Amino acid sequence: MKTFFDRLLIFTLFSAGLILAVLAILFAISLGLSLLLDQKDAILQAIPDDPGNKDRIFVALVGIGSSLLTALLGVGVAIWTYVRSSAAALRAGRKQHTITILFQTRVSKDFQATNAARKAAFPVDQDITLDAWQAARHATAETAGSAARATELQNGADALQQLLNYYEFLAVGIAQGDLDEDLLRASIRGIMCNLVDDSRHMIAALRQNNPQTLEHLVDLYGRWRRDGAINHNNAATERPIPVR
């Protein structure tokens, strides 16, 4: 089954071919009209008041040419209308796909539990370092103070990774044209940017080892973040991801 991106690629190539064909037709038409206009007076003088058989053939050819020109213009308009309609359908499909993903995420108990687990281990508006995340992943009753807290930290570390991977997935969908960026920006910009801001030191350390780690999310965060943003505690947020 073709993905949305595959269909978009096929449509783009097909549309490009149609556009090139229309441009070629329009160029030929404009060239022909230009030549006809240049020779308009000569053509009119060449048409006698009392046409003979040869003259009638010439007039018939002119009529055929006019009909052909009208037909070509009709084809051009039809192709233009089709391209516009198909593009609108693709945009509508992309938005519907985006809305479906957002709705499923909002009502997902698993997503809500993942978000709660992350907050239990790493409270919102607190910087998360790679060392802190790794310590949580490998927490024990001795290091955490209790077996229950160790489990909470381990679950929180996994939850944080899942959330970052989820927003990376959305960023990939935007980059490939499967998801509507404007709709996502209006819906999750603040939530995503706050998460990345809290995790920026951890992300920077991970990317130092592998620059491709969360690369689409980092790029999206760079476009969405706002300089000088502050959170509800009047503290700086949406800060740049450090470069190491």
Side-chain angles (χ1 to χ4, degrees), residues 129-142:
T129 64
L130 181 60
D131 289 341
W133 178 67
Q134 290 180 334
R137 288 183 65 196
H138 304 292
T140 63
E142 291 74 17

Side-chain angles (χ1 to χ4, degrees), residues 71-86:
L72 289 175
L73 288 175
V75 171
V77 171
I79 292 174
W80 177 76
T81 302
Y82 168 78
V83 170
R84 285 200 61 185
S85 300
S86 299

Side-chain angles (χ1 to χ4, degrees), residues 150-184:
T151 299
E152 192 174 53
L153 289 173
Q154 292 170 9
N155 291 339
D158 290 341
L160 177 61
Q161 184 175 18
Q162 290 177 33
L163 289 172
L164 290 173
N165 288 338
Y166 170 73
Y167 288 112
E168 169 72 4
F169 160 75
L170 295 183
V172 170
I174 291 173
Q176 293 189 350
D178 290 341
L179 298 176
D180 187 273
E181 180 170 356
D182 291 338
L183 185 56
L184 285 174

Side-chain angles (χ1 to χ4, degrees), residues 135-219:
R137 288 183 65 196
H138 304 292
T140 63
E142 291 74 17
T143 60
S146 68
R149 181 55 180 170
T151 299
E152 192 174 53
L153 289 173
Q154 292 170 9
N155 291 339
D158 290 341
L160 177 61
Q161 184 175 18
Q162 290 177 33
L163 289 172
L164 290 173
N165 288 338
Y166 170 73
Y167 288 112
E168 169 72 4
F169 160 75
L170 295 183
V172 170
I174 291 173
Q176 293 189 350
D178 290 341
L179 298 176
D180 187 273
E181 180 170 356
D182 291 338
L183 185 56
L184 285 174
R185 184 169 187 163
S187 304
I188 64 169
R189 192 207 70 82
I191 298 173
M192 187 273 281
C193 286
N194 287 337
L195 175 67
V196 175
D197 176 76
D198 289 347
S199 311
R200 68 190 186 284
H201 293 296
M202 169 186 163
I203 294 172
L206 289 171
R207 286 176 56 78
Q208 187 175 19
N209 296 327
N210 181 5
Q212 294 182 336
T213 300
L214 301 174
E215 60 179 334
H216 295 90
L217 177 58
V218 169
D219 180 67

Side-chain angles (χ1 to χ4, degrees), residues 59-138:
V59 173
L61 289 175
V62 171
I64 293 172
S66 300
S67 300
L68 179 60
L69 176 60
T70 302
L72 289 175
L73 288 175
V75 171
V77 171
I79 292 174
W80 177 76
T81 302
Y82 168 78
V83 170
R84 285 200 61 185
S85 300
S86 299
L90 282 174
R91 287 194 298 270
R94 182 168 57 244
K95 285 186 176 182
Q96 184 58 51
H97 183 49
T98 305
I99 291 172
T100 299
I101 288 179
L102 287 173
F103 177 76
Q104 291 175 346
T105 300
R106 295 289 186 183
V107 301
S108 171
K109 293 183 178 179
D110 289 338
F111 185 83
Q112 295 173 10
T114 299
N115 197 36
R118 173 257 162 161
K119 292 178 180 179
F122 304 102
V124 176
D125 297 333
Q126 292 187 16
D127 292 342
I128 306 169
T129 64
L130 181 60
D131 289 341
W133 178 67
Q134 290 180 334
R137 288 183 65 196
H138 304 292

